[in-house]
Every structure is written in structure tokens, then in C-alpha cells.
Amino acid sequence: MAERLDGAGLTFRQDYFGDPAGWAALVCLLRDIFGIDIGPLQQLGGPDPTSMPFGWFDAEGEIAANISAFALPFILNGRIVHAAGLQSGAVRPPWRGRGLYRDVTVKALDWCEKQGFEAVILYTDKPSLYEAYGFRAIPLHRYEGTAPAPSSSAAPARPLLPTNADDLALLQSLLKRRSPVSTSLAVTVNAAMFLINTQLDPDVRISFLEDRQAAIAWKIDEAGRFSLLDVVAAEIPPLAVILAGLEIAPASVEVLFRPDKLGWEGVPHQLESGTRLMLRGLGDATPDFPAMLSPMAEF
């Protein structure tokens, strides 16, 4: 039996990111429901220009339910997939159980089909919610191993601060001409997500290898474990060059994508996380090798 949409007192809106009040309402929704603040994205170049939000608004301009679609081409087993992503899916507690989320999800998926996307992906901690729409979970793997000997030819890196205008312009330039970080599974374009993720996790460091024209997103914990989150460059430098440029000698290395372009081999481990990557379309295709999307591409 189909759910009845009970949106009395609400107004449906689509494509509202050009309205400052509409954008502010989404920022408020995500802050209230998930405790994350995407407001700084406006100072980092704005939301993805391909974004198409679908939302139900109340009379005061507050969003009751929302989901947003956007173009997210990615590499899967060496092939570029013309795909969309779904993000910012949320319903305020007083409006739950009325069919609002089903409504915006169906509208978003219909829009994706009309745009000709061959696949749709999303992250969720409630995978069963999306299985009814044809999504399936993709197994994700990170890689661990010992650090390679650092390259003696690497020039020292410098930190990049996306909140600095010059550094932001440099990052935006690098993101426009980046290569996928892996041939197995990687996004080809993700500027908005990369930039907002630099602000959502205070432990993420961004460093610039000038001689390689590469931005490195990384962390290191108290035990000396180095975590490589992403590399933004037209040509991915070897891990030995990255470590030398960062001037660190970690006790161990963790790479959060398949390191097939890094000149280093680690051991794959299934990612232990409550969040799952879900895929709709492409039949039963999965990565040919253990892989995951960079955390800087999470949305």
C-alpha cells in the first residue's frame, strides 16, 4: 500500500540554492539533525553548481524534509561512470512518518533518470532505507602497511589553508584539473565536497607539494600512524615523495583509497564504519580490487 503524503501546511520547492533564505534553511536543517555546519561552503566557492535540491518548506521558511542530487562522475574499474550523488537527506522529527522523505527521494531519482545518469550513489548509516529504491551496498576497503623509505628528491611541502584566499584559489585550480586518485574507485570531480570536508574535520591537514603541484589531505595520530585521505594533482606522486615532502617518518601508513598510483603496496582491510556507500544502477558491478572512495569525497 502506497504511503499517503501528509504535507498539510508545507510547500514543495526545487532548485532553491540561488535563494539565500533557502540555502540558510538547509544549513539550519543539517546543523539541527546531524550537527554539521555546511555554512562555510559559501566562502569556499559555494555549493556544487550541478546541485538540485528537493525540499518541503513550512510557512516560516524552515525545511521539513530535503534531499539534494548533484553530478558525481566517478571511476569504476578504469571506466568513467556518468553518475549522480544524493546528499543532505533529512526530515525534521515533527514531520516524520508522513511520506515526505519518500516523496523527495522519488522526485530526486526521477530527476536523475531524466538527466540521463547511469548510476546514483549515496552514503548512509541506514542502508535498508534505500534498498527499496534499488540501492545496494558496495564493500569498502582501506590499506595498511609500513612506510616506504622517503625520497631524497622531494622538496618540503607547505600547509594550505582553504580559508586563505590565495590558498583557496590554488586548491580550486588543482581540483579542476585533478586526476582520479585510483583506477579502481575514485571520483573525478568533487571540489565542493573536498573543500567543505577540510572544515568539518579539524584533524585534516592540507599540504602543498609545489614541485609536484599536488595537494595532500592527511592526518597523523599520537601513535605515529599516517593516514592519507586524498591527493589532488594532475599526476599522483609516489607515497615516498609525499612522506619526504611532509618531512615525517610515520610508524605505519593507512591509505583510504586503493593505492595503485602511489608506488606502494599495503594490505587491504574492510572499512569498519557505520556509514555505507550505496550504488543504484550498473547491474551488479563492484570494484575489481578492494577499494573505497576518499573520505574527502564523502557527502
Side-chain angles (χ1 to χ4, degrees):
M1 180 177 177
E3 288 185 87
R4 183 175 67 91
L5 177 61
D6 182 6
L10 299 180
T11 301
F12 175 73
R13 294 182 61 188
Q14 179 178 330
D15 196 13
Y16 61 80
F17 280 177
D19 171 21
W23 171 257
L26 178 64
V27 171
C28 186
L29 175 71
L30 299 183
R31 185 186 299 124
D32 291 348
I33 302 300
F34 301 119
I36 62 173
D37 183 10
I38 65 168
L41 191 56
Q42 287 288 30
Q43 286 71 52
L44 298 172
D48 190 305
T50 68
S51 294
M52 178 60 67
F54 304 82
W56 284 96
F57 288 71
D58 68 14
E60 286 72 43
E62 189 173 75
I63 297 179
N66 182 88
I67 199 167
S68 303
F70 64 106
L72 187 66
F74 66 91
I75 291 285
L76 179 64
N77 301 329
R79 181 175 82 84
I80 296 179
V81 178
H82 180 51
L86 296 184
Q87 65 180 359
S88 304
V91 184
R92 290 190 179 277
W95 294 101
R96 291 173 184 169
R98 301 171 184 245
L100 295 174
Y101 195 65
R102 173 179 290 276
D103 180 72
V104 293
T105 301
V106 169
K107 284 180 167 66
L109 291 175
D110 286 348
W111 179 84
C112 289
E113 289 186 9
K114 290 175 182 176
Q115 298 300 308
F117 292 110
E118 58 181 313
V120 183
I121 61 175
L122 58 83
Y123 282 99
T124 182
D125 60 357
K126 300 178 179 64
S128 61
L129 179 64
Y130 295 94
E131 289 170 354
Y133 302 101
F135 285 89
R136 56 193 172 82
I138 299 296
L140 302 179
H141 295 79
R142 59 189 179 84
Y143 284 75
E144 287 189 353
T146 57
S151 170
S152 60
S153 61
R158 70 171 180 87
L160 287 180
L161 298 175
T163 52
N164 174 279
D166 291 339
D167 286 353
L168 174 61
L170 174 58
L171 266 175
Q172 289 172 327
S173 175
L174 293 172
L175 285 161
K176 284 180 180 178
R177 60 179 190 269
R178 74 171 303 172
S179 293
V181 77
S182 169
T183 60
S184 292
L185 183 64
V187 297
T188 63
V189 179
N190 71 322
M193 287 301 95
F194 183 97
L195 291 169
I196 192 59
N197 278 317
T198 67
Q199 305 304 298
L200 295 179
D201 187 344
D203 293 328
V204 173
R205 308 184 195 188
I206 309 296
S207 299
F208 181 53
L209 300 176
E210 186 168 7
D211 60 333
R212 298 291 179 136
Q213 289 294 293
I216 313 300
W218 61 287
K219 299 181 184 180
I220 192 162
D221 64 19
E222 294 179 354
R225 182 176 69 168
F226 171 78
S227 294
L228 182 59
L229 280 64
D230 205 352
V231 179
V232 180
E235 183 175 346
I236 308 299
L239 182 58
V241 170
I242 291 172
L243 293 176
L246 298 178
E247 299 180 295
I248 57 174
S252 63
V253 168
E254 171 188 59
V255 177
L256 297 174
F257 51 86
R258 184 182 173 223
D260 48 299
K261 295 185 177 183
L262 292 177
W264 172 86
E265 291 187 8
V267 178
H269 296 269
Q270 188 154 343
L271 187 67
E272 297 175 3
S273 170
T275 301
R276 306 295 298 274
L277 177 65
M278 308 287 287
L279 171 66
R280 183 178 192 255
L282 302 183
D284 58 357
T286 57
D288 290 341
F289 295 90
M292 65 177 284
L293 291 180
S294 158
M296 301 302 288
E298 287 193 19
F299 46 92

